[in-house]
Amino acid sequence: MNNIISAVGFCNRTGKGDLSVLDASLREIAETGADACEIGVYAEEIISGGRIIEDRMLRLADIVRRYTFKKLSLHGQILSNFMDREHLHLQKKVVRAMLELCDRLGAGILVHHSGAGQLAGGENGADLDRMEREALAEMGDVAKDYGVRIALENIFTTESGQYRQTPSEVAATVKAIGSDNVVALIDFSHAYIESTYRNLDFLEELRAMAPVTGHLHVHDSFGLPYSMTRFYHPAEATALGIGDLHLPIGWGDIPWEDIFSTLTFLPDTSLIMEINAERFGDQHPACLERARRLAGLLKQQWAA
């Protein structure tokens, strides 16, 4: 690869919580020739009440060590949220356990979703920002001890009245923390949807994030917020182009070549394709080839 994008790969298929799918899903990724993998460890019942279940952990490690990915990352809980005042102490316990999992599995990145909340009376967004930053700074110190980076992922607004940071505000959070162990994660489809929803300049939002970004989630969409949510089959959402579709690269209208020709990221960034493997596994080889071409555009830019 190059000194910016050091590895390219896929997220795994998540199972039903008993580790039965994990080996096959990692094998599928390895057989594409990908050199990076992101494990959705949140779905595998490894942590209970903030504690690692040791026998499950040992089984997990046995499966993971069968594969020699250059870069391994773990995806933290989908509901991870350091703006969750009521459950903040529980949220932090889980992140501590996840960071220990990273250390024991040799994963260099823990993906953590940026926060959201409904503002209480007398509360404003700055209060939630402060709570999230304090928690991230604390967990950044834990991550430093393990030699792991927390990658803060931009998300899109999911309900009416929700307080949610824009991509550029996520970047500001990372900058304010000022830790080498807390970086931004650009999810391009999430940024596209949020930019559409808030009438923001999509590329400007990406430009704000790029200098502090150390991990990428790549999947395609049309940037359309969920104006409808009832679909009888996922293919109907694809046909309409509505929502966070996790499509193969090129199936949506994200301007990938323009993005990768103009932005750069932190050194040693992994590019992970979050493409629905159950539906689009046949597209993985073509997506891997295209993703590597995109990474090459960064190399050309760096050389220039």
Side-chain angles (χ1 to χ4, degrees), residues 229-243:
T229 56
R230 184 178 180 182
F231 306 101
Y232 292 96
H233 192 278
E236 295 178 318
T238 302
L240 293 166
I242 292 175

Side-chain angles (χ1 to χ4, degrees), residues 92-108:
K92 290 196 290 187
K93 282 179 68 175
V94 172
V95 171
R96 283 180 180 274
M98 290 277 187
L99 289 168
E100 182 181 342
L101 284 179
C102 285
D103 178 59
R104 295 177 67 176
L105 295 172

Side-chain angles (χ1 to χ4, degrees), residues 203-220:
L203 294 179
E204 283 299 318
E205 291 296 301
L206 296 182
R207 290 188 190 101
M209 285 194 77
V212 292
T213 290
H215 201 65
L216 304 176
H217 279 174
V218 168
H219 49 102
D220 224 331

Side-chain angles (χ1 to χ4, degrees), residues 55-112:
D55 68 311
R56 279 291 183 93
M57 168 62 211
L58 294 175
R59 287 174 56 199
L60 172 66
D62 180 64
I63 294 169
V64 171
R65 72 167 61 98
R66 297 170 195 170
Y67 302 94
T68 55
F69 295 108
K70 181 180 179 182
K71 295 290 181 180
L72 186 68
S73 51
L74 300 186
H75 198 305
Q77 298 209 116
I78 303 300
L79 53 66
S80 58
N81 182 4
F82 283 166
M83 294 183 183
D84 176 5
R85 190 182 304 281
E86 181 179 358
H87 304 106
L88 183 60
H89 64 298
L90 301 177
Q91 295 272 4
K92 290 196 290 187
K93 282 179 68 175
V94 172
V95 171
R96 283 180 180 274
M98 290 277 187
L99 289 168
E100 182 181 342
L101 284 179
C102 285
D103 178 59
R104 295 177 67 176
L105 295 172
I109 286 281
L110 175 65
V111 172
H112 180 85

Side-chain angles (χ1 to χ4, degrees), residues 121-132:
E123 189 175 48
N124 58 45
D127 297 319
L128 297 184
D129 291 346
R130 189 179 308 108
M131 181 169 61
E132 180 178 57

